[in-house]
Amino acid sequence: MDFGIGFLSNNVMLPIIDFFYGIVPSYGLAIVALTLIVRFALYPLSAGSIRNMRKMRIVQPLMQKRMAEIKERYKDEPQKQQEEMVNVQKEFGNPLAGCFPLLVQMPVLLALFATLRGSPFAGANYSVNLQILPAEQIEQIQPQAFATAPQNIYIADGEHVKVAAILPSGNKLAVGEQTKIQYQTTEGKPFQVLLAEHPENNLIPDWKVTKGEDRVKIDAEGNVEALQPGEVTIQGTIPGLAAEKGFLFIDALGRVGATDPDGTIHWDIVAMIVSFGISLYVSQMLSGQNSSGGNPQQDTVNKITPVIFSGMFLFFPLPAGVLMYMVIGNIFQTAQTYLLSREPLPEELQKIVETQEKEAVVAEQKALPFEPKSAKKKATGGS
């Protein structure tokens, strides 16, 4: 039994979508509600990571200073040096400790991501791998039925079933052999029967050969004819029920890509990509990730990171519904970072901050007396 991402998607995410769609019939609002519920549920884990990053940003200068002193003091005693460094890490904390909460919440976020990439928000894709063999070789192979992993397909609002693509005679074909790829539920009900029960939704599957186009021929009904020996991959797609439905300024929740082949620009997608980059930059700034301690190269990397991540969606496009979830999630994360950054620091961290501020003032005061002397010398030299 699957207790991973598929389990979370089918048994947690989809029921939440159905619940909110039953209250307000809008798949866009269902995405908003699902994203916020997941983010609130993961709030304690995210808060732990943000607090740890804030702590490490404060103690890092002192920690680095102590590490340098230990390296110098015990440079001839490697074992003692290692022991002392471990003690320093115990005292100040491990910088990697903040990664653990992120790792714990990743399966939930991946399940949310996978849910929004499938039905009803986008088309569900099935990959059927075929092996075409010469006729004399196929006789030695015992036929075995082939089935893809089932996916939840919305056939009507609030109604979804698990559907798989199957080849009853198996996925090994002889040259010249014909077969048909069929869809059916896990209970064995043909998908065509479901379509006939809901003719208003027009969920007609389509097919395309993604590997070995010259080796097979396939029609709109899923009938396959083997032409040449080799490996073939056929992708079948069942359209998403809500893929063409809009929400607010978004024209279609299932639309993929900011541009069409004919050059048409979809400004709703562009707006979400830009919003994602801005929210990512603001979140970095609030969390202190944009502070590099005066390293110009690191400053440049920090500034262009949001641009790179945002631009990635131009080359690796996602459905509009997924982009909307990512923007909402980023805005939530930014607000969370802002609120946590306003929290009073623990007493020991506050003392470190005060000490660092005093050292900075002293260093500045030591630098100031040289400036009038330099100015005086210049004035004397010019007179």
Side-chain angles (χ1 to χ4, degrees):
M1 187 173 180
D2 179 17
F3 288 100
I5 291 173
F7 178 84
L8 290 172
S9 177
N10 297 332
N11 297 281
V12 178
M13 308 299 176
L14 291 178
I16 293 175
I17 289 172
D18 293 339
F19 174 77
F20 280 99
Y21 188 86
I23 297 174
V24 180
S26 167
Y27 283 110
L29 284 176
I31 292 176
V32 174
L34 179 61
T35 305
L36 292 178
I37 285 174
V38 170
R39 287 290 177 172
F40 274 113
L42 296 176
Y43 185 94
L45 291 174
S46 299
S49 295
I50 293 171
R51 289 189 180 108
N52 186 74
M53 284 193 296
R54 188 185 182 196
K55 173 187 174 183
M56 295 312 301
R57 191 170 70 251
I58 293 170
V59 304
Q60 191 174 24
L62 182 58
M63 190 175 176
Q64 289 176 343
K65 182 179 178 182
R66 291 275 293 277
M67 290 287 195
E69 290 173 353
I70 290 171
K71 286 182 180 179
E72 179 62 27
R73 184 180 304 169
Y74 301 106
K75 59 184 178 183
D76 298 325
E77 302 176 67
Q79 186 174 352
K80 181 66 174 176
Q81 182 185 104
Q82 185 64 31
E83 291 175 0
E84 291 298 321
M85 286 187 172
V86 170
N87 290 335
V88 170
Q89 283 194 345
K90 288 180 180 179
E91 179 183 351
F92 291 104
N94 190 336
L96 298 178
C99 297
F100 179 72
L102 293 175
L103 294 176
V104 172
Q105 61 182 301
M106 281 306 293
V108 179
L109 294 178
L110 288 174
L112 175 57
F113 186 84
T115 301
L116 298 180
R117 288 197 68 180
S119 183
F121 306 105
N125 296 323
Y126 294 81
S127 288
V128 178
N129 298 313
L130 303 178
Q131 190 173 359
I132 301 174
L133 304 169
E136 61 273 12
Q137 190 175 346
I138 200 73
E139 295 174 357
Q140 305 171 13
I141 298 175
Q142 183 70 29
Q144 290 184 339
F146 171 85
T148 65
Q151 299 188 57
N152 265 297
I153 303 297
Y154 275 73
I155 56 174
D157 291 336
E159 184 180 345
H160 46 89
V161 292
K162 288 187 176 181
V163 175
I166 65 167
L167 282 167
S169 58
N171 63 338
K172 293 180 173 61
L173 307 178
V175 174
E177 185 178 352
Q178 295 183 354
T179 188
K180 182 175 183 177
I181 305 175
Q182 305 172 29
Y183 287 114
Q184 70 177 30
T185 67
T186 50
E187 292 78 20
K189 189 174 185 178
F191 189 66
Q192 292 298 327
V193 174
L194 295 175
L195 292 182
E197 294 173 356
H198 301 279
E200 71 280 1
N201 291 328
N202 196 33
L203 301 180
I204 306 301
D206 61 36
W207 305 93
K208 68 176 180 180
V209 181
T210 59
K211 178 182 176 183
E213 292 184 32
D214 57 337
R215 295 173 185 146
V216 292
K217 185 167 61 175
I218 185 167
D219 62 19
E221 303 298 322
N223 295 302
V224 180
E225 181 182 358
L227 302 178
Q228 299 178 30
E231 295 183 349
V232 175
T233 300
I234 298 174
Q235 178 179 286
T237 302
I238 298 178
L241 183 69
E244 299 302 320
K245 295 183 179 181
F247 177 68
L248 297 179
F249 65 93
I250 301 172
D251 294 333
L253 291 171
R255 176 174 286 150
V256 178
T259 59
D260 287 339
D262 62 2
T264 302
I265 299 175
H266 300 294
W267 293 106
D268 53 342
I269 305 290
V270 173
M272 285 192 287
I273 292 174
V274 172
S275 299
F276 177 84
I278 292 173
S279 60
L280 182 60
Y281 179 80
V282 173
S283 181
Q284 282 186 352
M285 186 174 62
L286 290 174
S287 64
Q289 294 180 41
N290 281 358
S291 176
S292 62
N295 185 335
Q297 292 183 340
Q298 188 61 43
D299 284 339
T300 302
V301 171
N302 291 337
K303 288 176 181 177
I304 66 173
T305 297
V307 177
I308 293 173
F309 272 90
S310 302
M312 180 176 64
F313 299 129
L314 297 174
F315 301 98
F316 303 98
L318 295 172
V322 176
L323 279 176
M324 186 175 78
Y325 140 69
M326 297 184 73
V327 171
I328 296 170
N330 253 20
I331 292 173
F332 185 94
Q333 180 80 5
T334 301
Q336 182 181 9
T337 303
Y338 174 77
L339 292 174
L340 294 175
S341 68
R342 311 285 290 182
E343 280 186 348
L345 290 169
E347 186 177 348
E348 65 274 12
L349 289 182
Q350 187 61 43
K351 288 180 180 178
I352 293 175
V353 171
E354 291 172 358
T355 301
Q356 290 174 347
E357 290 175 349
K358 288 178 182 178
E359 290 176 351
V361 170
V362 171
E364 186 178 353
Q365 289 175 344
K366 286 182 179 179
L368 288 176
F370 292 93
E371 294 179 1
K373 292 181 182 179
S374 301
K376 188 175 181 181
K377 286 181 179 178
K378 287 181 181 179
T380 306
S383 59

